[in-house]
Amino acid sequence: MERLAIDAEFITLGQALKMTNTISSGGMAKWFLSEHAVYVNGEPENRRGRKLRDGDVLNIPGTGRFRVSGPAPGES
């Protein structure tokens, strides 16, 4: 499982897809999620605005599994 480092309280699923190089632009997120299965914490997810926080696990079949790792408490 790879680490997906974020420097804010959360990122959206669309941002995560771009950060993992699954899509090349944020505009592709809606299309990608309508055509491919993506799982957040083991549950299917198709909302590009879904907030991912520290500790969430993102599974993108064909790309990989990622654990979201946020900033230390007090940082942001």
Side-chain angles (χ1 to χ4, degrees):
M1 185 177 313
E2 296 182 52
R3 180 176 176 257
L4 184 60
I6 62 173
D7 58 2
E9 180 184 350
F10 65 86
I11 61 169
T12 65
L13 179 54
Q15 290 171 315
L17 291 173
K18 191 166 183 227
M19 288 174 67
T20 60
N21 294 318
T22 303
I23 58 175
S24 58
S25 72
M28 293 178 66
K30 186 176 183 177
W31 165 81
F32 185 87
L33 292 169
S34 71
E35 298 289 323
H36 299 87
V38 173
Y39 303 89
V40 176
N41 298 326
E43 299 290 324
E45 185 59 71
N46 62 4
R47 298 173 294 164
R48 70 178 188 252
R50 164 73 190 263
K51 294 177 182 175
L52 303 177
R53 300 175 190 278
D54 184 45
D56 284 341
V57 174
L58 175 62
N59 183 7
I60 309 166
T63 300
R65 287 175 46 106
F66 304 87
R67 179 176 302 278
V68 177
S69 179
E75 291 182 19
S76 254

